[in-house]
Structures are given as C-alpha cells and as structure tokens.
Amino acid sequence: MAAYIPDDKITAIKNASDIVDIVSETVSLRRAGRNLLGLCPFHTEKTPSFTVSPDKQIFYCFGCGAGGNVFSFLMKHGGLTFPEAVSTLAARYGIDLPTRNLSLHEKKKLTERETILTLNSEAMSFYRDCLLSKEPGKQAKGYLLKRGMTRKTIEEFKLGFAPDGWDHLVRHFRSGRRSVEVALQAGLIVSRKKGEGHYDRFRNRIIFPIFNGQNQTVGFGGRVMDDALPKYLNSPETPVYNKSRSLYGLNRARQKCRETQTVYVVEGYFDLLSMHQFGIENTVATLGTSLTADHVQILKGFVGEGGKATLVYDSDQAGINAAQRSVAVFQKGMLEARIMVLPKGHDPDSFLMAFGPEDFLKAAAQSMGMIPFMVESAVEKHGLSIDGKVRIVNDLKTAMLAIGDPVARSLRVKHLAERLGVDEKVLLQKIQRTAPSPAKSAWLQGRPGVVNAPKPPPVHGETYRLERQLVAMMLQFPEMVADIKRRRLMDHFTDPVMAEIGRGIIDHFATVDSDIAGLVSRWDDPEKKAVVARLSLTDEHWDRDGCMNLMAQFERTIRRKDKALQMRIEAAEKSGDVNLLAVLLREKQQQARKIVEKQSGASY
C-alpha cells in the first residue's frame, strides 16, 4: 500500500464504514436511547461508560476520555497506523485503493509495521506450502493427523511446517529480494553469533500463525514433533507482536464469545485447536506468558458486561500456580473468572479426545470461582494445623486485598475466617496491614500490570465552561454555527484547544453538513479527537432560544471582563501606581493584539 491515500478515498471509506459493526467485534454493546453503551476496552470499569453514536459515527468513553471516529478506534484498539486502519476498512468494505509504482522516497515512507506484516504473511504462505508439499511436509501432516487434527482445522488455522535445515526461509526471502533487516525485525530469522549471515528461527517445527483482530499475521509459534527442547518456540516481541496483548485464536473466537458472554482460556496451541474442533469456539490461548491486565481488558470487551472467563489448567502444580497468578489480574480487571482444573494426567486436548465436549462442559459448569479455588488449593497444600492456617492466610492475603469491591472482599474474608476457624476481625486486620503505603501506591501508578484509575478532570473557571458549552452547542446544534461566525465569538476564546476546535468546526461545516466523524479526522492529536467526540455526545438538549441565551451570556462575560480591566486601569491612574498601570495597559494591548491576530488568521 502506498504511503499516501487520497482524501476522497479516505472520505469514501469513512462513509462506507459502520462504527457499530467495527466496535461490536470487540465490545458488547447495548442500546441506550439513540446511542449504544458497553464496557470500555481501554480501561477497567464496572459500569459501562463507553458510548458509541450510530448517528454521528463516533465513540467516547466518559470514564477514561478515549474518543474519536472509526479510524481512531482501530488505531487505538489494534495498535494500527492511520494508513493501516484505512487499508483494513477499505478491504472490509470492498473499496479499491489506488496503486502505483512507488518512488524510492515513498518506499522509505512505508511504515515498519506494514512491511513486517507483509513479510509475516509471506512467511505464513511459505510454511503452509511446506506442510502441503509431499516432501518435506509428509511427516508433519502425519503428526498433525495423529494428534487428531482434521484437514479442516489445519486449513482454517493456516497451520504450516518449518522444514529441517538452517536457512530454508532465509533463501526463500533472498530469492524474492526481501529485506534481511526487516526479516530480523520480524523475528523470522536470527543473526549468526559467529561469522556473518543468518539462519531460520523456526526449524523442523509445526508452525501456528498468530493473528491480530484484523486477521493480520503478527507472529508465529512453533512446536517440535518429538521430545526435543524447547518444546515450543514463539516469535520475539516485534513492532507488530506484543504477547502481553496477543491471544491465540482470538480472531476466530470473538463471535462466539459475544454470543455466549463466556470465554475459555487454555494454555497451548493444540488445546485451543481441540476446543474449536469439538465446537467450543469461544476459546483463546495464552502465548507462553501469564495472563496480563491487557489480556483481561481485551477479553472483557468480547464477553461484555456480566460476562465471565473460565481458565482451563492442567492438574499439575504448574497449572495450579498459573491459576493463582491470574487471580489478582482478574480482580483488578473486574472480570468474573472461574478455575477449571482437569483430572490428573489430562490437558484440554487429551480430555476432549478421551471424553468428548459434553463431559468437558459438565466439568466446566462445576468450576470454582478464583478465590474459593485459591482457598481450597491452599488448604490442600498446607493443611489445617495451626502452622498450616498461618501459611494459608499469608498465601491469600494479597489476593484478598486485590478484590476491588469492598462488599465482595468482606464476604470473602468472612468465608475464609469460617473455613479456617479464625476470628474474622483478626483476619481482616492482617489483610489490611498488607495494603501498600500511600508512597508505594503512588510509585505503583504507571508500573507495568497495574491498572490505574482515570485521572480526575482539571478544574476550570466560568469562562472555560461557557467556551466548552458553545463548542458543544456548535457540534450538537450546527444551525447556530453561522451565528457564532457572524458574532466572531471565537475571537474571544481564552482556551487554545477550545478555540482551535471551534474554528475547525466553522471551517468544516462550511463545506460538509454536520459530519462529526469527518470533523474528527481534521486533527492528528488523539486528545482533540476525544474532546470533539465527548462534546458531541454530552447529554444536552439544545433549541434556538437556549443557544441564543448562551451566546448572549458569553458576550456579557466578555463585556464584564473588559469593564473590570478598564476599572482597574482607572483605579491605577487615580492612585498614581505607575508600575501597575503599565502592566494593566500592556494586558489590554495584548488582548487587542490577540483579537486582531485571530481575525487576520481566521478563515472566516
């Protein structure tokens, strides 16, 4: 794709897109008047504040302040560049983007992400061709079929095979004149430690392509077919692949997750493939890492308000430890989660092969909540002797403290106290002493894995409030834009952001009638996009009389400020305060100069 996309194409793509369709793929929305509401995918919240307007084709979260149009959503949620967001929507709605031979300068302007994604797609095709070929894919196909994978599953999940040998992919890229440097950035090849040259990262392994929400290949996982170590090998972190935000199979699971409001989380590639193959399609898998706060937010967006996650772990100690590590993350993310521990010797793949999906779902229905699971696991591990009870409390105090809802925490503490036969007040005191100090809490803000509360909005004065109301009025009742322009009210705005947005509205609506989604695209700054989205969706009811009253109130405020300044100047003259008089006269001159500059620089 060329780095430059004509404005008329961007407009056509924006007009063809439906933000409700796009957002609904990752956020469960419900009707709320003219708008739709859901849990924000960008921050932790219990009460839905993420608002989507079908009429205006914009979104805004009144909790964290994220907002914009359909391009903004894809860029923020998918980590896409603007050209990538445009290209994704163009492909979805069947709009052809212009193609032409690129100059050297234009080739350099192609984003690093776009180039890596292209190379990943080519690598996926290479691995698939290797699997489907008679040689060397025969052994790999036999292995997959022996593991119970059907040809349909192999095709739908684009499984492949990296042949044995050091440089099959390297030679493939060289024959196609592909950049070695980009292949290194993509994590597909590795530099030799001794001497020059490169070798393939994945060799003699089954290959599992990893897709993002836009079905783009962002990375790969590879598994050996014997007992060699490491058993699994994943792509390293790259500009397009972040394992703390990636989940295997999410691109195929999202529809069933929304329909059922439930998601199963497994640990392995084959576990996920078996789950999908047996019809449990609302399943995702972690990628060699513990579940993170980002994972929980993504999952919550899919299952929606009231949804839940079921974590499916092996019965060994490693599986139990993984389940315990997930507790705090889910508590902070405020997503209900249950723990399903399979019978000894089984993982999801082997259990389904042995007993089938009905028995699996029956066992899942009996799974325990995270805290009860941790309590029973700790009791089984330490016993109920005096020393055992002390160890149990020490094991559980951090998890108890992570419960955000004070009522839920109180009930869990009461249950634990009864289970252990310990005084509830003493137990509560022990847990509360575990809480970090204010200094430590402040240090934790912004640390990886810590969910931060939205910052309180800044305090503004009366003038800012009126300026904000005038901008909201222009967005929601555009019939008054001509009056705002005629009365030159923008010349008297004191807040630079509000003034810039106000002028942008006047310029935009002069050529396009009330196109809020298009107006959002005027600014690259995400904060300005969010301000426009927020003010467009504030719950205010405008009529012409109310608008005229607001403009008159703003003009009275201007006159009062001018009169107050003039009175201070006269008082300084009378008192003979030459220094103060000079300051006040300079302030008056600066105000006059700013108005002249605004008028000369304005396009209206």
Side-chain angles (χ1 to χ4, degrees), residues 178-193:
R178 300 304 184 200
S179 168
V180 172
E181 289 303 317
V182 175
L184 276 170
Q185 287 179 305
L188 294 167
I189 64 175
V190 181
S191 297
R192 294 185 184 276
K193 292 181 179 179

Side-chain angles (χ1 to χ4, degrees), residues 20 88 111 118 124 153 170 181 210 223 232 256 260 266 349 379 393 436 457 493 504 514 528 539 541 552:
V20 176
T88 298
T111 66
T118 300
M124 179 183 71
T153 297
V170 170
E181 289 303 317
I210 301 165
R223 190 200 191 281
Y232 285 98
K256 282 294 182 182
T260 62
V266 298
D349 180 27
V379 169
V393 172
F493 269 43
S514 310
K528 291 190 177 73
D539 190 17
H541 303 286

Side-chain angles (χ1 to χ4, degrees), residues 85-103:
V86 172
S87 179
T88 298
L89 291 172
R92 180 185 180 113
Y93 293 101
I95 298 174
D96 292 329
L97 292 177
T99 57
R100 53 191 170 90
N101 293 328
L102 301 180
S103 67

Side-chain angles (χ1 to χ4, degrees), residues 12 50 62 108 139 160 182 193 314 324 329 394 400 404 416 425 511 540 603:
F50 185 82
F62 288 88
K108 289 180 180 178
Q139 180 190 1
V182 175
K193 292 181 179 179
D314 299 353
Q324 291 175 335
V329 178
N394 286 330
M400 290 289 186
L416 179 60
K425 291 181 180 179
T511 55
E540 298 182 56
S603 58

Side-chain angles (χ1 to χ4, degrees), residues 63-336:
C64 70
N69 58 14
V70 67
F71 300 127
S72 311
F73 181 82
L74 285 178
M75 291 167 69
K76 185 171 179 64
H77 189 267
L80 305 182
T81 63
F82 179 72
E84 287 171 338
V86 172
S87 179
T88 298
L89 291 172
R92 180 185 180 113
Y93 293 101
I95 298 174
D96 292 329
L97 292 177
T99 57
R100 53 191 170 90
N101 293 328
L102 301 180
S103 67
L104 289 175
H105 176 68
E106 287 171 329
K107 285 181 180 179
K108 289 180 180 178
K109 289 179 68 176
L110 283 172
T111 66
E112 184 180 62
R113 284 178 51 87
E114 291 167 327
T115 313
I116 291 176
L117 288 170
T118 300
L119 211 60
N120 280 346
S121 180
E122 187 170 325
M124 179 183 71
S125 297
F126 171 80
Y127 293 135
R128 291 186 68 205
D129 289 343
C130 290
L131 177 67
L132 298 175
S133 66
K134 188 172 182 180
E135 292 293 341
K138 182 178 179 180
Q139 180 190 1
K141 280 200 296 275
Y143 175 81
L144 288 171
L145 294 174
K146 185 179 179 182
R147 291 289 304 255
M149 298 297 104
T150 65
R151 285 177 169 81
K152 181 182 177 184
T153 297
I154 293 170
E155 173 60 30
E156 288 183 346
F157 285 86
K158 313 297 183 189
L159 302 188
F161 174 62
D164 200 7
W166 287 98
D167 60 353
H168 290 287
L169 186 61
V170 170
R171 285 189 281 114
H172 174 76
F173 284 151
R174 283 176 181 161
S175 66
R177 298 180 182 276
R178 300 304 184 200
S179 168
V180 172
E181 289 303 317
V182 175
L184 276 170
Q185 287 179 305
L188 294 167
I189 64 175
V190 181
S191 297
R192 294 185 184 276
K193 292 181 179 179
K194 295 182 179 180
E196 297 181 354
H198 306 85
Y199 60 92
D200 298 347
R201 179 178 294 277
F202 300 104
R203 304 180 306 281
N204 199 27
R205 291 175 181 267
I206 301 294
I207 297 296
F208 306 86
I210 301 165
F211 298 92
N212 63 13
Q214 289 72 47
N215 286 312
Q216 296 168 312
T217 312
V218 296
F220 299 91
R223 190 200 191 281
V224 296
M225 295 177 288
D226 53 23
D227 295 327
L229 296 175
K231 181 190 293 187
Y232 285 98
L233 182 66
N234 288 326
S235 292
E237 298 272 320
T238 73
V240 302
Y241 175 60
N242 182 334
K243 60 186 177 183
S244 69
R245 285 190 55 82
S246 300
L247 290 162
Y248 183 58
L250 189 60
N251 60 317
R252 300 189 61 83
R254 57 190 179 191
Q255 184 61 39
K256 282 294 182 182
C257 289
R258 285 198 300 272
E259 291 174 4
T260 62
Q261 290 193 293
T262 302
V263 60
Y264 292 96
V265 183
V266 298
E267 292 188 285
Y269 294 104
F270 279 113
D271 292 335
L272 178 128
L273 295 177
S274 289
M275 295 281 282
H276 279 253
Q277 195 165 275
F278 279 96
I280 309 173
E281 296 177 1
N282 51 325
T283 304
V284 300
T286 52
L287 293 160
T289 183
S290 300
L291 280 160
T292 67
D294 284 334
H295 287 145
V296 172
Q297 291 306 307
I298 292 168
L299 294 174
K300 190 166 69 171
F302 277 100
V303 300
E305 184 182 3
K308 66 178 182 180
T310 299
L311 312 185
V312 188
Y313 289 108
D314 299 353
S315 58
D316 58 18
Q317 190 60 46
I320 292 173
N321 291 342
Q324 291 175 335
R325 287 194 299 270
S326 303
V327 172
V329 178
F330 275 90
Q331 294 291 351
K332 290 177 183 176
M334 289 184 282
L335 174 62
E336 181 188 348

Side-chain angles (χ1 to χ4, degrees), residues 323-603:
Q324 291 175 335
R325 287 194 299 270
S326 303
V327 172
V329 178
F330 275 90
Q331 294 291 351
K332 290 177 183 176
M334 289 184 282
L335 174 62
E336 181 188 348
R338 306 183 73 80
I339 304 292
M340 177 182 178
V341 177
L342 295 169
K344 188 174 182 179
H346 280 292
D347 56 25
D349 180 27
S350 66
F351 185 94
L352 285 165
M353 294 292 181
F355 302 105
E358 289 187 10
D359 282 1
F360 180 91
L361 293 175
K362 286 178 183 177
Q366 303 300 316
S367 57
M368 301 176 67
M370 301 197 88
I371 297 299
F373 167 80
M374 288 196 69
V375 170
E376 296 309 315
S377 296
V379 169
E380 184 176 347
K381 180 180 179 181
H382 298 298
L384 290 174
S385 65
I386 294 176
D387 287 343
K389 291 178 181 180
V390 171
R391 291 190 182 98
I392 290 169
V393 172
N394 286 330
D395 280 0
L396 296 177
K397 59 187 180 183
T398 301
M400 290 289 186
L401 193 64
I403 302 174
D405 187 331
V407 175
R409 187 191 304 137
S410 175
L411 291 172
R412 293 301 184 192
V413 170
K414 182 177 181 180
H415 169 76
L416 179 60
E418 292 173 352
R419 183 73 173 87
L420 300 182
V422 176
D423 185 272
E424 184 181 344
K425 291 181 180 179
V426 174
L427 185 58
L428 188 60
Q429 289 174 356
K430 174 75 172 178
I431 291 168
Q432 288 173 338
R433 282 200 297 270
T434 308
S437 66
K440 187 175 181 182
S441 297
W443 176 82
L444 284 172
Q445 291 296 311
R447 301 292 295 178
V450 177
V451 179
N452 297 334
K455 294 179 181 179
V459 178
H460 294 291
E462 175 70 9
T463 301
Y464 175 83
R465 185 184 66 81
L466 289 174
E467 291 174 4
R468 180 184 172 282
Q469 278 192 293
L470 282 167
V471 172
M473 179 191 78
M474 295 165 71
L475 290 167
Q476 299 183 38
F477 201 79
E479 295 90 333
M480 301 307 298
V481 170
D483 288 88
I484 294 278
K485 177 180 177 180
R486 178 177 54 81
R487 294 161 83 153
R488 308 196 75 91
L489 297 188
M490 289 295 112
D491 294 344
H492 301 280
F493 269 43
T494 57
D495 184 82
V497 173
M498 288 299 156
E500 182 180 346
I501 291 174
R503 292 182 189 281
I505 294 170
I506 292 172
D507 290 345
H508 184 74
F509 286 3
T511 55
V512 183
D513 183 25
S514 310
D515 177 22
I516 302 297
L519 173 65
V520 169
S521 294
R522 290 180 67 93
W523 293 282
D524 294 330
D525 183 356
E527 290 189 12
K528 291 190 177 73
K529 293 176 185 286
V531 169
V532 172
R534 180 187 181 98
L535 295 183
S536 299
L537 296 175
T538 50
D539 190 17
E540 298 182 56
H541 303 286
W542 298 99
D543 56 27
R544 187 166 185 84
D545 288 342
C547 294
M548 298 299 290
N549 288 337
L550 178 62
M551 289 190 291
Q553 183 181 359
F554 184 69
E555 288 175 330
R556 288 195 297 271
T557 300
I558 296 169
R559 289 194 293 271
R560 281 200 302 270
K561 288 171 63 179
D562 290 344
K563 185 177 180 180
L565 179 59
Q566 184 59 38
M567 290 175 65
R568 291 174 66 198
I569 290 172
E570 291 174 359
E573 288 177 333
K574 288 181 180 178
S575 65
D577 191 336
V578 179
N579 293 332
L580 177 59
L581 179 60
V583 171
L584 295 173
L585 289 172
R586 191 158 51 247
E587 181 181 342
K588 186 174 184 179
Q589 289 172 347
Q590 287 173 345
Q591 287 182 356
R593 190 181 304 114
K594 285 180 181 178
I595 291 174
V596 172
E597 289 173 353
K598 289 176 181 178
Q599 291 174 350
S600 61
S603 58

